[in-house]
Amino acid sequence: MATIKNWHQEHSESLSFGSRIADKVATGMGSWRFIIIQTIFVAVWMGLNIYAYFYHWDPYPFILLNLLFSTQAAYAAPIIMMAQNRQSERDRLQAQADYQTNLDAKKEIEALTLKLNQLEVEKLDKIIAMLNEQQSK
């Protein structure tokens, strides 16, 4: 028995390995967990470099930290844009599926309306025939 796939399943199965990784990275970077972990990392980095007793590997103004952030941003921006492009594609596929569902529903409603009209005409014909029978008696 074949299972029917919806648009979301079909789209998910069509993603490449790189696309799935990019989506996971974008999801992770767009979370409170990432913000909190990054904030803790920055605070520890600055704290260790300000209060270190012997060795300051990145003294104020924290140029190495800025370099790390620049590198992170250079990779994050295209990854997030790829994820947004895929979201747009998912939205387009969902809109297309919704449109097709609406068309199918419209056709079914039109068919039901025709059937109901046909039944109504048949009922009226029977009523008229019964009235004609009664009048002829």
Side-chain angles (χ1 to χ4, degrees):
M1 183 169 153
T3 59
I4 298 173
K5 296 179 183 179
N6 63 25
W7 65 269
H8 188 280
Q9 291 168 326
E10 288 179 10
H11 180 74
S12 294
E13 290 175 0
S14 71
L15 293 178
S16 68
F17 177 73
S19 295
R20 290 180 187 171
I21 294 292
D23 283 347
K24 289 188 186 301
V25 169
T27 299
M29 291 184 85
S31 69
W32 276 107
R33 182 176 184 225
F34 177 80
I35 301 265
I36 291 167
I37 290 171
Q38 184 143 351
T39 302
I40 291 169
F41 172 77
V42 169
V44 168
W45 181 286
M46 289 178 172
L48 289 174
N49 278 287
I50 289 173
Y51 298 112
Y53 290 111
F54 300 109
Y55 179 66
H56 300 271
W57 70 88
D58 188 22
Y60 183 83
F62 311 114
I63 294 177
L64 182 57
L65 182 63
N66 286 324
L67 179 64
L68 290 173
F69 281 146
S70 296
T71 304
Q72 179 186 30
Y75 282 99
I79 289 171
I80 290 169
M81 288 173 61
M82 286 187 287
Q84 287 176 335
N85 288 341
R86 274 188 297 286
Q87 182 62 46
S88 296
E89 177 67 15
R90 281 190 292 264
D91 291 345
R92 188 190 65 73
L93 288 172
Q94 183 178 12
Q96 182 64 36
D98 290 346
Y99 177 74
Q100 189 59 47
T101 300
N102 290 340
L103 282 180
D104 294 343
K106 179 183 175 196
K107 287 178 184 176
E108 286 184 35
I109 290 170
E110 288 173 349
L112 286 171
T113 302
L114 287 174
K115 184 67 174 170
L116 287 173
N117 286 341
Q118 181 183 1
L119 289 172
E120 191 68 25
V121 168
E122 289 174 7
K123 282 183 188 178
L124 288 174
D125 287 345
K126 285 181 183 179
I127 291 171
I128 290 171
M130 289 170 59
L131 287 173
N132 285 339
E133 264 183 44
Q134 285 183 351
Q135 283 180 351
S136 64
K137 288 183 183 182

